[in-house]
Amino acid sequence: MTLLAACIAGLSSCESDIDNFMVDDTVGFLNPGLVDTKVYIGADDPTKVYAIKAGKGFQSAQASIKVDESVLVEYNGLTSTVVELSMLPADCYSIAVSSIELSNDDYRMPFEIMWNRDKLAAALAENPNQAIPLSMDVKTTGNIAKDRLTCIIKPTMNTPELTLSSSGLTTGLMPTRRSATEEVIYMNVNSNFIAQKDIDFSFEIDPSLITQYNEDHGTNYKLLPENAFEIALDGWCIKKYMNTARFNFKFIRTALIPECGPTQYGEYVLPIRMISEYETEPSSDKNYILYTISIIPSKIEKSTWSITECNSDINDDPDATEAEKANNGPDALIDGTTSKWWRSIYRYEQPMPYYAIIDLGRKTSIAKVDFEIPSGVNKRYANSKSGHVEFSLDGNTWMNSTEWSSSSAAKASIEFEVPIVIARYMKFVIDTPFKKASGSGIKNPNATAIGEISLWGEIVTWEDEE
């Protein structure tokens, strides 16, 4: 019993100590002085002007507000006032809640101003520097914050908007075979106001967005196939009293990178347009997103490659030196460096086309071809203007011929995409030269040289897995 009495005395002592460090409740405007207030076109929500009661919380209070022109006169009389304000016409608004009661437990409560938005917009169009001066009357057993009893509500008209947190062209995923088979992408929709009710919004997939972007920027983005994504177009909303909401869509990797099949390389875009009653400006990109899915081929390693045939081989020239045979034969096309380079026959005339057949050593899915001219001073021998490539599984039957061309003999690297093809052999063909070759010892007007040939894609492994 003695211990219990001591505990009760201790608790009583603590409560008393707290009281000693807190003041009685004090009531006033939460935001006194000039208050810039946004009024949204098309909405019907009131503007809330809060009274706050701070302190121990032991006192109740009654508070009321009224329009008080003297508050505006005093404000305009201040030497620091930049712009003089005038009274807002009374038909532009009404005070819907002009008096409140704060209980012991309340710490803040709003007065409410309703707007006649049409008349307000017309009044502010004539003079944007108009305001409502308010003064507060407080009845309480506590304190009154005498320096917080006036405020001036200065409204501005604003257009309500819903916007995407990420919009326009947005860099997205760069999936590979090691990526998850499915990935959910989350984004936000934001409003520039606090919702007074649930705000519904929906989406549509709009391919015209890609067409327009490609035309404007000279790009070649492709529409993401329907089986590569999932999105709920309807059923989204920003909840009441919130100004943001999340939405998501799912990317399905196996639609473009199947477990058993070639990767469908490309720069894809998912064009999502948001639809709501709060539309952004037509020229704005904030209500749509062009989400990119970039599937980029890798450079293929050359350890299994070999040249099986070349119809212009320096080794066939009886006058070729040993250095030329070592550094300028067909094998230099795939040795990984441009410091050694293939050189066509140049000591006697030989008509085009010239070609080399490369055995890749295994089935390969190919999406892009690249060739480079010799490096350093030897680039002067480059003279390949146009040609084509062909592919084969057995080295006998050729398919998927794709033409290539170079804009300049001095262009260091020429790369070009090919329709995705599975092959073991590639025939690289040079059809035309830039100019008639001439120079010391050159007797072949079609003479040319190439430093290195490379491919992009992937080794076929899924057939082995089957």
Side-chain angles (χ1 to χ4, degrees), residues 15-36:
E15 290 176 359
S16 177
D17 288 343
I18 291 173
D19 289 346
N20 290 338
F21 287 101
M22 295 187 70
V23 298
D24 287 338
D25 291 338
T26 302
V27 180
F29 280 118
L30 174 61
N31 297 305
L34 184 65
V35 180
D36 289 318

Side-chain angles (χ1 to χ4, degrees), residues 124-142:
L124 294 179
E126 291 184 6
N127 177 13
N129 299 310
Q130 301 186 72
I132 308 171
L134 299 174
S135 62
M136 182 191 299
D137 180 62
V138 180
K139 293 181 175 59
T140 180
T141 57

Side-chain angles (χ1 to χ4, degrees), residues 167-189:
S167 57
L169 187 72
T170 300
T171 301
L173 301 177
M174 298 182 66
T176 68
R177 284 195 177 274
R178 297 181 179 180
S179 302
T181 56
E182 295 181 350
E183 188 160 352
V184 179
I185 295 92
Y186 292 91
M187 293 184 182
N188 286 353
V189 170

Side-chain angles (χ1 to χ4, degrees), residues 312-384:
S312 188
D313 187 345
I314 201 75
N315 290 282
D316 296 333
D317 187 337
D319 297 325
T321 67
E322 291 304 316
E324 287 176 326
K325 293 179 180 180
N327 296 320
N328 303 128
D331 289 342
L333 289 168
I334 57 173
D335 66 350
T337 177
T338 56
S339 60
K340 293 182 179 181
W341 39 282
W342 165 81
R343 188 173 184 181
S344 70
I345 294 294
Y346 72 93
R347 285 193 176 89
Y348 56 86
E349 186 169 344
Q350 184 185 34
M352 282 190 170
Y354 303 148
Y355 68 84
I357 296 176
I358 303 173
D359 180 359
L360 307 178
R362 49 195 170 180
K363 283 186 180 180
T364 305
S365 177
I366 302 163
K368 188 173 72 172
V369 180
D370 170 89
F371 72 89
E372 300 171 79
I373 66 174
S375 59
V377 297
N378 297 314
K379 65 183 180 181
R380 67 184 185 276
Y381 297 116
N383 192 29
S384 304

